[in-house]
């Protein structure tokens, strides 16, 4: 089946630094990827929609200058948390939509997540 | 604004019991609804997807139903096993023109051996 990977799986960074998280579709092409964040014992909240070759679309309340998204190829999207603060500590999950998804049972495939801790 | 709620928030049952997880959504104009499983510290595994025109979907011991008009879906797990212990999330897709999902609050299930 379709696989989405994320790297790193865990990262600890100091306050004020930037950290990049990668999301890759391993065996399919994804024109659209989604980034979610999940606080402990809470549900997933959509942060932004990443479109290959164009600017990301951010959800209301999400700072686009803080959470930089780049979708440079059909298999890779990156989320960079700039000037990270402890309140950015969270679980970040990406999902990817198969470009040829029409008619398939599952529309999106989710990555395993990245645990970010800002000290 | 679409809101998705799941009840109960947590559930603990003995092994072998049949159980029902509930999901409700405020806007019935959905395109589809999907149930996911999330193990602690892990990503999501899709379990079942129900299109808005469907009433239910089945996969093994899992059965999901959808009543769009009342804004409800249920996930039925038959003969529960300790391996079923996880958080179960439902999510609704807003419409055919978008692939965004709104996630529910989740139900943390623990099946006791």
């Amino acid at each position: 089946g379709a696989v989405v990977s994320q790297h790193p799986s865990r990262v600890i960074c100091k306050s004020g630094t930037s950290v990049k998280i990668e999301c890759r579709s391993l065996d399919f092409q994804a024109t659209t990827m989604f980034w979610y964040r999940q606080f402990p014992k809470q549900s997933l909240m959509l942060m932004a929609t990443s479109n290959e070759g164009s600017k990301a679309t951010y959800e209301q309340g999400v700072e686009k200058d803080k959470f930089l998204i780049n979708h440079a190829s059909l298999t890779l999207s990156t989320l960079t948390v700039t000037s990270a603060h402890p309140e950015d500590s969270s679980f970040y999950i990406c999902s990817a939509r198969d470009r040829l998804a029409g008619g398939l049972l599952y529309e999106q495939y989710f990555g395993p997540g990245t645990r970010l801790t800002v000290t | 604004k679409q809101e998705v709620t799941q009840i109960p928030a947590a559930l603990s049952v003995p092994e072998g019991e049949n159980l029902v997880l509930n999901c409700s959504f405020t806007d019935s104009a959905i395109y589809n609804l999907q149930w996911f499983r999330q193990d602690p510290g892990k990503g999501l595994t899709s379990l079942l997807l129900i299109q808005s025109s469907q009433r239910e979907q089945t996969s093994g011991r899992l059965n999901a139903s959808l009543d769009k008009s009342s804004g409800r879906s249920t996930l039925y797990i038959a003969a529960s096993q300790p391996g079923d212990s996880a958080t179960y999330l439902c999510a609704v897709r807003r419409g055919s023109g978008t692939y965004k999902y709104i996630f529910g609050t989740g139900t943390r299930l623990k099946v006791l051996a």
Side-chain angles (χ1 to χ4, degrees), chain B residues 32-51:
Chain B
N32 63 36
L33 181 146
Q34 196 161 176
W35 282 93
F36 295 88
R37 168 187 174 136
Q38 184 178 30
D39 293 288
K42 305 290 185 180
L44 303 181
T45 300
S46 183
L47 299 173
L48 290 165
L49 183 151
I50 310 178
Q51 300 292 351

Side-chain angles (χ1 to χ4, degrees), chain B residues 68-82:
Chain B
K68 202 173 73 163
S69 62
S70 67
R72 293 183 181 182
S73 176
T74 61
L75 178 67
Y76 176 83
I77 302 177
S80 59
Q81 303 171 356

Side-chain angles (χ1 to χ4, degrees), chain A residues 45-110:
Chain A
M45 297 297 293
L46 179 65
M47 298 175 64
T49 302
S50 170
N51 299 297
E52 187 268 336
S54 65
K55 291 183 178 180
T57 304
Y58 291 82
E59 295 299 300
Q60 191 173 12
V62 177
E63 298 176 60
K64 62 180 181 181
D65 294 330
K66 181 169 184 60
F67 299 99
L68 301 179
I69 292 173
N70 184 283
H71 193 154
S73 77
L74 286 172
T75 60
L76 173 65
S77 175
T78 60
L79 168 68
T80 301
V81 183
T82 63
S83 187
H85 291 285
E87 56 264 32
D88 297 325
S89 299
S90 187
F91 194 56
Y92 292 87
I93 299 178
C94 72
S95 70
R97 177 176 173 264
D98 190 334
R99 185 171 68 92
L100 304 176
L104 292 179
L105 184 61
Y106 302 122
E107 302 177 326
Q108 294 180 31
Y109 302 94
F110 284 79

Side-chain angles (χ1 to χ4, degrees), chain B residues 2 25 27-33 50 52 66 68 92-95:
Chain B
Q2 177 74 275
F25 44 95
D27 187 347
S28 62
I30 64 170
Y31 187 72
N32 63 36
L33 181 146
I50 310 178
S52 62
L66 175 64
K68 202 173 73 163
V92 298
R93 180 176 155 185
R94 298 174 184 175

Side-chain angles (χ1 to χ4, degrees), chain A residues 31-43:
Chain A
T31 52
T32 305
M33 292 183 173
F34 302 89
W35 287 95
Y36 296 83
R37 67 186 298 181
Q38 184 180 34
F39 291 107
K41 296 188 178 180
Q42 295 187 26
S43 193

